[in-house]
Amino acid sequence: MNEILRKINRFVNKIEIVLGRTKLFSYPQSVQIEPTNRCNQRCIMCPRNTRLDVPIGDLSLDNFKKIIDKLPVIGNLQLNGLGEPLLNKELPEMIKYATSKGIKVSINSNCALIDESLAKKLIDSGLNLLKVSMDSPDPAVYNSIRNAPLEPVIRGIQTLIKIRKEKKSHTPQVWFNSIIMKNNYKNLDEILILGDKLKIDLVRFKPINIFWAGKDSDLTVEIKELKNEIEKVIKITKNLKIKHNLEELLNRIETNFYQRPSKKIPCYSLWTELYIQYYGGVRLCCEFFSKKDDIGNILKEDFQKIWNGSKMRQIRKEFKRGNTYFPACRSCNRFQKNILLYNKIKKLRIRV
């Protein structure tokens, strides 16, 4: 029954996006919930270092269940925020509760905390995807980015892969999420080699240029230099079995996919997703880092009053026009996805 309701919700959601409705009958398709804002690393590119303006805390299992029960038709759940999710001891039970309702769950983690006991709990929970933050296999480079040792991370990944094999489980899928920046763009081949050696499922690279929009010259890589490096890495790693997205990344660079459009493009995130803090604060998406960006509290208010309240409807109205309504929108990386959806909607409207 839940899956049927999800399909209906997705269908209605798509129609409401095409129609440009600001008051929605549909619920968000995906939600990101923060289990904790505590972290065991201090990454140089993380907004947590400068923009964390709420007390340190964890989401309780009881409150997590209350949130999930208010969102009965979401299909995808990402359990992370401005902290390391595995620091929350109740995380496996949260995952188990969500997956028991047919929700696909993923987490982003540095994996440094995984031992055999935790690995078994994560696999048994039904976790669908674990994305490992891996920016270099060189301990010195890794430490320069994350201010933390690499060895516990490698050990954690090895343990998870080993237990997954012993349990003959296909999940969770294990990916590397590797942010490309000045510190590590010469290590892309080594990251692929490490992923191949550890027998993970995929390496996914993301240029930091996309996120920061050139704001931080100490971290960003010049696009031509990055293109040359990617071309070289593709050639020298062609015999590796590990899957990766470098060809796609190269194609996007060559076709100016990451170049901001000259015209206003709507942002559709407010029709399809939400970001929820450990204390229940609801924000538009994960690009919003301050408590002042909260538009409600799902633990204290009726969800529909937040989702279809006057504030959300006004913001949807501005987003529909393509207005950069908030400062965060001006450096957001989602414009590429919005362009693709905008073009599909435009073609559909012409046909109709």
Side-chain angles (χ1 to χ4, degrees):
M1 179 61 75
N2 279 353
E3 191 52 41
I4 293 173
L5 292 176
R6 284 191 188 95
K7 288 180 179 179
I8 294 172
N9 184 70
R10 286 196 296 269
F11 179 72
V12 174
N13 191 244
K14 289 176 181 178
I15 291 175
E16 291 183 319
I17 290 173
V18 173
L19 295 177
R21 288 181 56 88
T22 58
K23 184 177 181 180
L24 308 180
F25 291 104
S26 60
Y27 280 69
Q29 296 182 40
S30 61
V31 173
Q32 181 173 339
I33 300 176
E34 179 182 67
T36 181
N37 61 0
R38 294 185 292 135
C39 196
N40 57 337
Q41 294 187 344
R42 193 169 178 81
C43 306
I44 59 175
M45 64 286 191
C46 182
R48 185 181 184 279
N49 300 331
T50 56
R51 305 186 200 181
L52 189 64
D53 59 358
V54 297
I56 300 296
D58 291 356
L59 174 66
S60 70
L61 178 59
D62 286 343
N63 280 341
F64 174 78
K65 289 180 178 179
K66 289 177 184 177
I67 294 171
I68 292 298
D69 291 346
K70 288 187 176 186
L71 303 166
V73 292
I74 61 168
N76 297 288
L77 169 64
Q78 192 169 326
L79 268 174
N80 51 263
L82 288 180
E84 167 52 51
L86 295 182
L87 283 169
N88 189 320
K89 301 299 183 184
E90 294 185 298
L91 186 77
E93 289 301 315
M94 293 179 189
I95 298 170
K96 186 179 293 186
Y97 186 75
T99 56
S100 71
K101 294 179 176 293
I103 301 169
K104 290 184 178 179
V105 182
S106 66
I107 63 172
N108 289 359
S109 172
N110 55 53
C111 279
L113 300 173
I114 293 181
D115 56 17
E116 288 203 3
S117 175
L118 182 53
K120 290 175 182 177
K121 289 178 183 178
L122 290 173
I123 294 167
D124 292 342
S125 72
L127 179 65
N128 185 64
L129 173 62
L130 191 154
K131 292 178 275 189
V132 185
S133 303
M134 174 57 67
D135 304 311
S136 177
D138 183 314
V141 175
Y142 185 91
N143 186 65
S144 73
I145 295 171
R146 298 194 170 264
N147 289 292
L150 176 62
E151 193 275 330
V153 176
I154 301 298
R155 186 172 62 244
I157 298 169
Q158 290 172 328
T159 300
L160 183 64
I161 296 294
K162 178 176 77 74
I163 300 297
R164 188 181 71 172
K165 184 178 179 180
E166 289 175 0
K167 284 181 167 286
K168 298 180 181 179
S169 175
H170 298 292
T171 55
Q173 288 279 297
V174 180
W175 295 4
F176 278 173
N177 256 9
S178 299
I179 298 176
I180 304 174
M181 62 192 90
K182 276 189 178 179
N183 302 55
N184 71 347
Y185 81 103
K186 294 288 188 180
N187 299 136
L188 304 188
D189 56 331
E190 297 173 19
I191 292 173
L192 287 174
I193 291 169
L194 177 63
D196 192 62
K197 180 181 177 182
L198 294 175
K199 294 183 171 25
I200 67 164
D201 302 291
L202 177 76
V203 178
R204 187 164 172 260
F205 293 99
K206 298 178 182 179
I208 200 169
N209 307 60
I210 300 169
F211 296 106
W212 291 71
K215 290 190 297 182
D216 194 332
S217 59
D218 291 334
L219 296 178
T220 56
V221 184
E222 199 277 321
I223 199 70
K224 184 178 179 181
E225 198 170 353
L226 177 58
K227 177 178 178 292
N228 292 337
E229 188 65 25
I230 291 175
E231 288 174 336
K232 183 179 74 174
V233 171
I234 289 174
K235 288 179 181 178
I236 63 178
T237 61
K238 62 182 179 181
N239 293 325
L240 295 179
K241 294 181 180 179
I242 186 73
K243 294 179 181 178
H244 58 79
N245 70 331
L246 281 180
E247 287 89 354
E248 177 189 1
L249 193 56
L250 181 61
N251 178 260
R252 288 183 169 188
I253 290 172
E254 291 174 338
T255 56
N256 296 317
F257 186 75
Y258 296 126
Q259 185 175 334
R260 290 188 169 277
S262 56
K263 61 181 178 180
K264 289 184 176 182
I265 298 293
C267 177
Y268 303 102
S269 64
L270 229 63
W271 280 256
T272 60
E273 63 185 83
L274 273 182
Y275 179 36
I276 301 172
Q277 304 301 112
Y278 80 88
Y279 57 86
V282 177
R283 299 178 189 174
L284 305 185
C285 73
C286 62
E287 297 291 333
F288 293 81
F289 305 114
S290 174
K291 193 175 189 304
K292 67 183 179 182
D293 297 320
D294 289 359
I295 53 174
N297 190 304
I298 195 169
L299 292 173
K300 299 177 181 178
E301 303 170 61
D302 178 76
F303 176 69
Q304 282 298 331
K305 287 184 179 179
I306 301 172
W307 185 237
N308 278 317
S310 58
K311 189 170 184 178
M312 283 287 269
R313 293 179 69 182
Q314 177 60 34
I315 297 171
R316 285 194 188 106
K317 187 176 180 180
E318 296 296 333
F319 275 29
K320 186 172 68 172
R321 294 170 177 168
N323 292 335
T324 50
Y325 196 60
F326 299 96
C329 301
R330 298 180 194 128
S331 59
C332 177
N333 67 310
R334 294 166 183 252
F335 64 85
Q336 310 98 353
K337 188 164 63 173
N338 286 320
I339 290 171
L340 296 176
L341 186 50
Y342 172 79
N343 289 334
K344 286 181 181 179
I345 293 172
K346 191 175 179 181
K347 287 180 182 178
L348 183 62
R349 285 175 175 163
I350 290 173
R351 288 174 186 170
V352 172

